[in-house]
Structure formats: C-alpha cells, structure tokens
Amino acid sequence: FSGDNLERLVQSNILILIEQIVQSRNPELSPQEAEQVAVRAVANLPEEMRASIEPAARAQVNESRGRVEKELTESIVTIGVDFSGDVKNRRLAKTMASALLAYREGDLATFNEAIEAYRNAIAEKKPAELIDSPSILQRTITSIFGSFYAFEAWFNRCDAFFIAKVLYIFSFLLGVLGLLIWRQPLLRAAFWLLVFTFALHTIALLARMYISGRPPVTNLYSSAIFIGWGCVLLAIILELIYRMGIGTIVGSVIGFLTLLVAYFLAADGDTFVVLQAVLDTQFWLATHVVAITLGYSTTFLAGGLGILYILFLFLWRFGLASQDERLRDELPRMIYGVLCFAIFFSFVGTVLGGLWADDSWGRFWGWDPKENGALIIVLWNALVLHARWAGLVRTRGLAVLVVAGNIVTAWSWFGVNELGVGLHSYGFKEGVLRNLLIVVLSQLLIIVIGCLPLMRDGKNTSASTT
C-alpha cells in the first residue's frame, strides 16, 4: 500500500469503476467483453474525466488500506493465541504485526527492532538443546552492528562491489602505465592494489554468503561476482609466478567486467532471491555450481590472455611498441596453463551436474540446452588442447582459439537461458541477447584480426605464431 503499489491499486480501481459503467450501460456484454472495452476506454481517458474519477478510486484504496491493516493485526494476533492460548504468543503475534506494518511504512529502525525482539522471544521458547549457539563470526558481527539485520542494511549501503569495480579500473591503468613507463614501481603498485581489491571482493563475497546462508553462487548475479573472483585469484597467482604485469592487467579487466555484468543483473532489485525448489540444496550448490563457475572463470581468463597476446602482436607488427621476447614466450605458456585448469573444472563441474540431475530428475543426461552448453565448453577446451598437442596450431593459433572460447562460455552462461526451454531455464533476462550479440561480434573481430597474415611475427613465423 505504498509507493508504486498504491498507484497501481488506484489505477486498478479506476479500471473497475469504468468497467462497472460500461456493464451498466451495455448489459448484453459479457464480463470479458466489458473488461476489454474498459481497458480501451481507460487508455484513451481524457485528463478531465480521469481527474474526476481518481479521488473516488483513491478513497476506496485508503478505506481498504485501513481495513486490511486492522484485519492483518487481528488475524496475526488471533493465530498466535489460537496456537496454544499462551499470553506470550499474543505478544509474539503483536511483535510480528508491528514488524510487518513498519516494513510497509519503510520504518527500518522499528522493523529491525521488532524482528530482533521476535527472534529473541522465539529463541527463549525453544528447548535448550535446539537453541543455536552463535558462532564467533556471528558474535563479532552482533557486537559491531548490533544485529544481523543492521549488518545486512550496512552491507547494502556500503556497496563494496561498486568500490571494487572502481579500484579494478585504477589497477588496470597503473598496470598499463607500468608497461609503458617507470616499469617496476608502477607494476608493483598495480599488483598490490589488485591484491587489496581482491581482498575487498572476497570480504563482500563472504558477507553475501553469511547473509544468505548459502554457497557463493545461487543465481546469475552471484555467478558474475564469483566468476570475477575466480579470475582475479588465478591472475594474482600468475603474476606471482611470472612477475610481468600481465596477470595484473588481465585480472583487473576481467574483475571490472564481471562486476559490471553483476551491476546490470542487479537492476531488478533484490539479489538475495528465494531459490526454486530443485535448486535448494546446499551440497550441489557448493560442488557442481562452484566447479562449473570456476570452469567459466578459467576459460574466460584464458580468453583474456589470448586477447592480450593478439593485441601485443598487433602493436609489435606496426611498430607501436618494442617487441618483448620474454613476453612473447611466456604469455602462450600462461594461456596453456590456464587452459588446463579450465578443462579440469569444466569437466568436473559437468559430471557433477549430471549427478545432480540424476538425483533430482532420475536421469544423468537429457540433452537439455544448459547441459549441452556445459558440454560444449568441455569439448572446446579439449579441442584447443589437442590442436596444440598435435601441432595443428602454435602460439598465435592457440590465442585465437581461446578467444573463441569466450564465445562458447558466454553462450553457456547466458545464451541457453534465453531459449526458455528445458529444465534449467531459470535465468531469463530482458536485453541479454542484444548484449550477448555485442560480445560475440567483438570476439569475432579480435579473432579475425588474429588470423590476418600480417599479424605474423617476422622473427619466427613458421614456429611460433601460426
């Protein structure tokens, strides 16, 4: 009864009033026909007539509003008393009623206070052996914020993922400047800024897990956050091994892009959604979903490294940057190593998904679009590795193929959801197909550039870049 909901009720009452007028003047019309006529009439209603009808409609809404509030409170209290006849239940019911009414009014302080009082009263009524003892984390959060709900409200206000997104941009800029000028100091600053941002990303991810009581990935929004987290973690490991600035640059770019995707996925509002029944299992969310999203992360990271290698080839070919022999040799090794992790996680995640399907629906595999998307990632990564082992491609060919892996993974992550068929179609989003097409076209453009004969490295075209 507040905000947009109130206005929708007013407009609905206007429609009802118009429909009653139509029905009274045209009794031969069926209810369905009268409704259709009323809908068209409301759409073309003159402003003067709307202004004369709206006060009556709003008065009806306000009258029903007071009646519903009274009935809600009385019903909750009655249910509480009927439950056992205990006077304490009456107090519990009144507390819950005050919480619901405070929520309607947007009174956050009263709502938190009422809910906390309700939880404490419920805990007192439990047998001692059923009362959960708070963990060290719960006691710490309660001592700092006062209550679990205050912590959730603080988490939503601070918007840690937005801060991380901005810091990833600064890390990227420092990394690029480090490759161009004043190499060691700027690369070191970029790396430690990436580590700090990753720590913030991790804390925010853990906070979401604590608030939801779930593993890290439960919906498309959280998958974007976790995929970015996995990419940045592996990028930091690569940077610790090679110390060339490549891990910092690629990690910061993918971290920013995945959080940007999460931002657009959160446009609908609440990101702590209630899971569908078939998804409501902690074990499979913590095994299959985590493994398959790590497969996405590593495949995207390999693709990001492939894009960077093609970019460097372009700069070297046109003399826009001096050729770095170590970079030219080590970057393909990074791609190969990450690709091995990618096929491991994507394969294990797909097998675990089949076991979950067998547990839920009684069959391991059904050629469902989502299942096929996961399988395509495994097959593509296997194809790239076999092409490399057989000598069909070398460094440049490897880079081009892993960039194509970005298309395959993006399709499995988002594209199959848009088909609206199968047992896994839980993630339909408006506008995703347009954005997915933009991503695909951008990757195809990079692939075309990487395949141009002029991109060959003149030092060793036959052995190192074909």
Side-chain angles (χ1 to χ4, degrees):
F1 284 100
S2 61
D4 294 338
N5 291 331
L6 180 61
E7 290 305 314
R8 279 196 289 270
L9 285 173
V10 171
Q11 298 305 317
S12 177
N13 274 9
I14 292 175
L15 177 61
I16 292 172
L17 290 173
I18 297 294
E19 187 176 344
Q20 290 172 350
I21 295 172
V22 170
Q23 191 74 63
S24 64
R25 294 184 177 179
N26 305 276
E28 73 280 0
L29 294 178
S30 67
Q32 293 80 8
E33 292 172 333
E35 182 182 1
Q36 292 174 359
V37 172
V39 168
R40 290 195 296 270
V42 169
N44 300 289
L45 198 64
E47 288 301 322
E48 312 83 58
M49 186 174 295
R50 184 183 295 274
S52 64
I53 297 175
E54 187 169 323
R58 194 173 295 276
Q60 288 184 2
V61 171
N62 289 330
E63 181 184 349
S64 63
R65 173 183 180 180
R67 186 173 63 253
V68 168
E69 288 179 3
K70 182 180 178 182
E71 291 175 355
L72 173 65
T73 305
E74 290 177 351
S75 298
I76 293 176
V77 172
T78 301
I79 292 170
V81 175
D82 288 346
F83 183 71
S84 67
D86 192 348
V87 175
K88 180 176 284 188
N89 282 332
R90 180 183 291 275
R91 291 199 302 269
L92 280 174
K94 285 185 175 180
T95 303
M96 178 54 69
S98 65
L100 292 174
L101 294 176
Y103 177 79
R104 180 188 63 77
E105 297 294 339
D107 187 348
L108 181 61
T110 303
F111 175 79
N112 287 339
E113 182 180 343
I115 291 295
E116 193 65 28
Y118 185 83
R119 286 189 66 184
N120 293 337
I122 289 293
E124 290 174 5
K125 291 175 67 65
K126 283 185 181 180
E129 64 272 14
L130 295 181
I131 298 177
D132 300 328
S133 57
S135 64
I136 295 176
L137 177 61
Q138 289 171 326
R139 290 198 299 270
T140 302
I141 288 176
T142 301
S143 64
I144 295 174
F145 296 95
S147 71
F148 169 85
Y149 308 101
F151 170 70
E152 182 177 356
W154 172 85
F155 175 77
N156 289 328
R157 283 196 306 270
C158 76
D159 202 355
F161 293 119
F162 174 78
I163 298 172
K165 190 164 52 179
V166 174
L167 293 178
Y168 279 133
I169 294 176
F170 281 108
S171 177
F172 167 75
L173 294 176
L174 286 174
V176 172
L177 289 174
L179 290 180
L180 299 176
I181 56 171
W182 208 20
R183 190 179 184 88
Q184 288 305 318
L186 288 179
L187 287 181
R188 192 178 300 115
F191 172 73
W192 287 112
L193 180 57
L194 180 67
V195 171
F196 174 80
T197 310
F198 174 74
L200 177 63
H201 194 154
T202 303
I203 292 170
L205 184 63
L206 292 174
R208 277 188 58 86
M209 293 170 61
Y210 172 70
I211 292 170
S212 65
R214 298 283 186 179
V217 184
T218 55
N219 52 28
L220 277 175
Y221 172 83
S222 56
S223 72
I225 291 172
F226 188 72
I227 287 172
W229 180 87
C231 286
V232 176
L233 173 62
L234 194 53
I236 289 174
I237 295 173
L238 287 176
E239 187 60 28
L240 289 173
I241 295 172
Y242 292 97
R243 299 183 181 278
M244 299 168 57
I246 299 302
T248 301
I249 292 174
V250 175
S252 58
V253 169
I254 297 180
F256 167 76
L257 290 177
T258 50
L259 290 184
L260 185 64
V261 169
Y263 170 79
F264 287 113
L265 290 173
D268 293 340
D270 187 12
T271 60
F272 293 99
V273 296
V274 177
L275 291 174
Q276 297 195 27
V278 72
L279 300 177
D280 193 4
T281 163
Q282 299 286 73
F283 175 77
W284 293 115
L285 287 175
T287 53
H288 159 66
V289 177
V290 169
I292 203 73
T293 47
L294 285 174
Y296 290 175
S297 299
T298 44
T299 307
F300 275 134
L301 182 58
L305 293 170
I307 292 173
L308 198 59
Y309 185 79
I310 293 172
L311 174 63
F312 281 134
L313 281 183
F314 182 84
L315 295 176
W316 295 335
R317 175 64 181 81
F318 291 98
L320 301 175
S322 57
Q323 187 165 151
D324 188 324
E325 295 293 332
R326 181 168 178 253
L327 185 62
R328 185 171 62 84
D329 294 338
E330 298 291 358
L331 193 49
R333 292 192 180 97
M334 294 185 197
I335 296 173
Y336 178 80
V338 173
L339 193 59
C340 292
F341 279 103
I343 193 170
F344 171 78
F345 284 117
S346 57
F347 174 75
V348 171
T350 302
V351 172
L352 289 173
L355 295 175
W356 188 1
D358 185 58
D359 182 54
S360 298
W361 302 314
R363 54 102 176 127
F364 181 83
W365 196 264
W367 300 106
D368 188 275
K370 194 72 173 178
E371 295 169 355
N372 293 340
L375 179 62
I376 290 172
I377 295 177
V378 178
L379 295 177
W380 183 260
N381 287 333
L383 181 151
V384 178
L385 285 174
H386 280 80
R388 185 70 180 91
W389 293 336
L392 299 177
V393 298
R394 296 189 184 274
T395 55
R396 184 164 61 106
L398 179 66
V400 167
L401 290 178
V402 293
V403 172
N406 290 340
I407 299 175
V408 171
T409 309
W411 170 255
S412 178
W413 187 12
F414 284 105
V416 295
N417 297 329
E418 304 305 298
L419 297 176
V421 294
L423 296 172
H424 297 78
S425 54
Y426 307 132
F428 178 81
K429 292 283 184 181
E430 291 289 344
V432 164
L433 279 179
R434 181 186 65 253
N435 296 331
L436 185 62
L437 179 61
I438 293 172
V439 170
V440 170
L441 291 176
S442 67
Q443 301 305 293
L444 288 175
L445 177 61
I446 294 170
I447 290 171
V448 169
I449 294 173
C451 291
L452 293 176
L454 58 82
M455 292 293 288
R456 296 183 180 219
D457 184 348
K459 283 208 163 194
N460 195 353
T461 55
S462 62
S464 50
T465 60
T466 56

